[in-house]
């Protein structure tokens, strides 16, 4: 991932509503969610949600597809993985490290 792409992705996620939407879409998995369901689940009015989804799409953090009369949004897992790899590529100064990879926040060292 290029630095400019990482900056765009981080900027898109550096806003409370967009971060909430992205996390919701991560939970939804590759099938994604209709915009109306996202609005309802996140408590974001449709007009505001449209703006936030556009920002996430511009940063390539979400994808969209038409299914009948609905637009389905999904997290772009490839871009998310590239961002994590970019952020950790120089971990431990190139030395083997023993950092845990966990989704349980209680297990992450402070």
């Amino acid at each position: 991932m290029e630095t400019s792409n990482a900056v765009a992705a981080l900027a898109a996620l550096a806003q409370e509503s967009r971060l909430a939407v992205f996390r919701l879409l991560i939970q939804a998995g590759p099938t994604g969610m209709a915009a109306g369901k996202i609005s309802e689940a996140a408590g974001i009015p449709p007009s505001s949600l449209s703006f936030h989804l556009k920002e996430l799409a511009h940063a390539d953090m979400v994808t969209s597809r038409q299914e009948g009369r609905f637009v389905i949004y999904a997290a772009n897992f490839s871009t998310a993985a590239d961002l994590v790899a970019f952020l950790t590529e120089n971990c431990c100064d190139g030395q083997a490290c023993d950092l845990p990879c966990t989704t349980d926040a209680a297990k992450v060292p402070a």
Side-chain angles (χ1 to χ4, degrees), residues 28-89:
T31 57
M33 295 177 76
K37 294 281 186 187
I38 297 168
S39 175
E40 187 178 300
I44 301 171
S47 59
S48 297
L49 179 64
S50 177
F51 169 78
H52 293 306
L53 288 169
K54 180 182 69 97
E55 291 296 310
L56 289 166
H58 179 71
D60 201 28
M61 295 302 293
V62 300
T63 61
S64 64
R65 66 184 185 280
Q66 192 77 36
E67 280 189 12
R69 62 186 188 130
F70 300 103
V71 178
I72 306 298
Y73 290 89
N76 188 336
F77 289 92
S78 177
T79 301
D82 288 348
L83 180 60
V84 170
F86 176 84
L87 293 172
T88 60
E89 72 182 324

